[in-house]
Amino acid sequence: MISIILIAPPAAGKGTQSDLLVEKYGFVHISTGDMLREVAKHDEIIREKLNSGNLIDDDVVFSLLKERLLADDCKRGFILDGFPRTVNQAIRYDEMIDELGITSNVVIFLDVDREIALKRIVGRVSCPNCHRVYNDMIEEVMPKVSGKCDDCGSLLVKRSDDNSETFGKRYDEYLKSTAPLIDYYLGKGILNKIDSGLGKDEVFEVIKNIVGDLND
């Protein structure tokens, strides 16, 4: 079983690369945020904490995660999205995968220049009908006709939080709480740094080289 941890600032392409890994290898994409939102549907305490923006206790998160990793669909491998967020969580996760007998723990750091990431966020527009995503500021993913979807012709829309102010807050939060994980995993010798400013296919080729041998 392969554990893949993706560390990335906003707009580094974590979601895109996760989708490609799922399609190529049949891995399971696990979002701890999605897990908590699902539990919140029938757990009032967790629902109130999520709605108020409070952090969920690590004991709860690890209990849910352990249960998820023991499911049959995770036997081939899985990708963790949004976890671990802190060094303390990373240390505890290391202990958990040892307990579960997971021997391959791959950490991939998708590094991207702040200005490139800003363009990806501020210029992002999407089709409300077929959900295809474009970018008004990046030539290779611009729509053929400005403001219209290439596939279905629907008018493209922009998310209200796709702005430079929101991006700046998210990026600063990443630097504060997530970036220290890079030093932690670098010290363990399992960090793989990739320039995510490249095209998605080029980035995925590098990832395949990292994951491929472990998946044989």
Side-chain angles (χ1 to χ4, degrees), residues 1-5 18 21-30 68-80 93 102-106 211 214-215:
M1 185 188 299
I2 302 174
S3 162
I4 299 175
I5 295 171
S18 293
L21 280 165
V22 170
E23 181 180 355
K24 171 71 175 177
Y25 297 106
F27 296 154
V28 176
H29 182 196
I30 299 175
R68 183 68 185 90
L69 298 186
L70 289 172
D72 287 342
D73 61 349
C74 288
K75 288 182 178 179
R76 184 172 183 83
F78 55 89
I79 307 150
L80 287 181
Y93 178 69
I102 299 171
T103 55
S104 296
N105 187 21
V106 179
V211 174
L214 297 173
N215 192 57

Side-chain angles (χ1 to χ4, degrees), residues 14 16 28 43 52 55 60 64 86 100 102 108 110 158 212:
K14 183 171 59 176
T16 296
V28 176
D43 189 311
S52 63
L55 294 177
V60 174
L64 292 171
T86 66
L100 296 178
I102 299 171
I108 296 173
L110 298 175
K158 184 177 181 65

